[in-house]
Amino acid sequence: MSFHVIEQAPARLNRSELAVPGSAPQMFEKAAQSDVDVIFLDLEDAVAPDDKAQARKNIIKALNEVDWGKKTMSVRINGLDTHYMYRDVVDVVEQAGERLDLIMIPKVGTAADVYAADMMVTQIEDAKGLKKRIGFEHIIETALGMQNVTEIAGASKRNESLHFGVADYAASTRARTTIIGGVNPDYSVLTDPLEDGSRAVHWGDMWHYALARMVVAARANGLRPIDGPFGDFQDPDGYKAAAKRAAVLGCEGKWAIHPSQIALANEVMSPSEAEVTKAQRILKAMEEAAAAGKGAVSLDGRLIDYASIRQAEVLVQKAKQIAGA
Ligand code: GLV
Ligand code: MG
């Protein structure tokens, strides 16, 4: 290990994160009753400019009055380039800071953006005597944000997670797509002709680099990487495939832009029984190997060593966290 010890963000279950527009208070109760891990009440892109002020009031009232149980509660504020942002922070933290766990900052572009938000929240927390530190979740969804993702990830003690905002990221990078997440037939490999002259098309994942880049920055700074939205809520199989790709890369969760996506995210982002059993067998085999003075042994015909212990522990710890939730 490096001499540099990575401080981990407070552990929270974040398999699913439900987006709920602040302008739709009729959806709040249902969200509170759902099985989602984290809810973000939105003041940004799901709310029209004329509805922003009312949405802010709805969110403040709901944070104070709705029984959200043990759910982690977040509010997505407007971007730092808008005049809504300061009032989002001041009003929500001053008037509902006790029940607020996280603030989601969209389109974060530089470490200075994080610093500015941190300065505001710190002043309000001090002035109001709030005891619990409000954390930050940042949406990486611009070319600038992706370029500066490492500095953003390390910019505040409040940082807890990085989220891949695929829709705005596509717009910012001028990617030729208008769908939210998912795959694109134009991002494919055409094989050379096979023996019979036919050619195969292999669809690729156009978001792979961006997501993997964000995962590295998050993990190197002790933060949770979370995959963002999948727009086609009538395609559960497509959603699950996207969530699995994200999980395989190291993401801990995925957004749900529709309540039907919550169960899908919870399922994919929880290690399966088979994975946990295999991990436990690896730990046991390595314990026996250590007792016999060996550093590496074979299990089911494959080599395992001390690195296998660390891999297996990740899965076993996640299963424990879920069981204890
Ligand atoms: C989320 O905010 C996105 O732009 O995908
Ligand atoms: Mg966005």
Side-chain angles (χ1 to χ4, degrees), residues 93-224:
V93 179
E94 274 195 356
Q95 296 172 44
E98 300 275 5
R99 184 57 186 89
L100 190 64
D101 299 297
L102 302 169
I103 291 176
M104 176 179 267
I105 305 180
K107 300 178 183 66
V108 59
T110 68
D113 290 345
V114 183
Y115 183 90
D118 194 352
M119 179 270 291
M120 286 181 72
V121 174
T122 300
Q123 289 196 26
I124 303 166
E125 277 180 353
D126 276 1
K128 288 280 155 189
L130 294 176
K131 298 279 173 296
K132 177 170 59 86
R133 181 171 77 187
I134 294 169
F136 285 166
E137 30 184 22
H138 301 294
I139 316 182
I140 304 301
E141 53 182 343
T142 60
L144 184 65
M146 192 60 80
Q147 174 174 272
N148 294 322
V149 66
T150 305
E151 291 75 24
I152 289 167
S156 168
K157 292 262 183 227
R158 295 182 188 276
N159 286 358
E160 290 204 12
S161 54
L162 300 182
H163 300 239
F164 180 51
V166 66
D168 272 304
Y169 185 77
S172 173
T173 55
R174 304 192 192 188
R176 288 181 49 178
T177 177
T178 48
I179 57 166
I180 299 182
V183 286
N184 188 323
D186 288 334
Y187 195 81
S188 59
V189 173
L190 180 66
T191 64
D192 285 347
L194 307 175
E195 265 176 20
D196 64 358
S198 66
R199 305 182 77 173
V201 177
H202 296 289
W203 290 41
D205 177 6
M206 66 186 285
W207 312 116
H208 173 82
Y209 165 75
L211 199 56
R213 175 78 194 83
M214 190 196 79
V215 168
V216 171
R219 293 299 185 196
N221 288 277
L223 312 182
R224 296 183 292 279

Side-chain angles (χ1 to χ4, degrees), residues 13 39 69 71 84 92 155-156 177 206-207 214 218 221 229 237 291 306:
L13 214 46
I39 295 174
K71 291 193 186 352
Y84 304 113
V92 174
S156 168
T177 177
M206 66 186 285
W207 312 116
M214 190 196 79
N221 288 277
D237 291 340
Y306 280 102

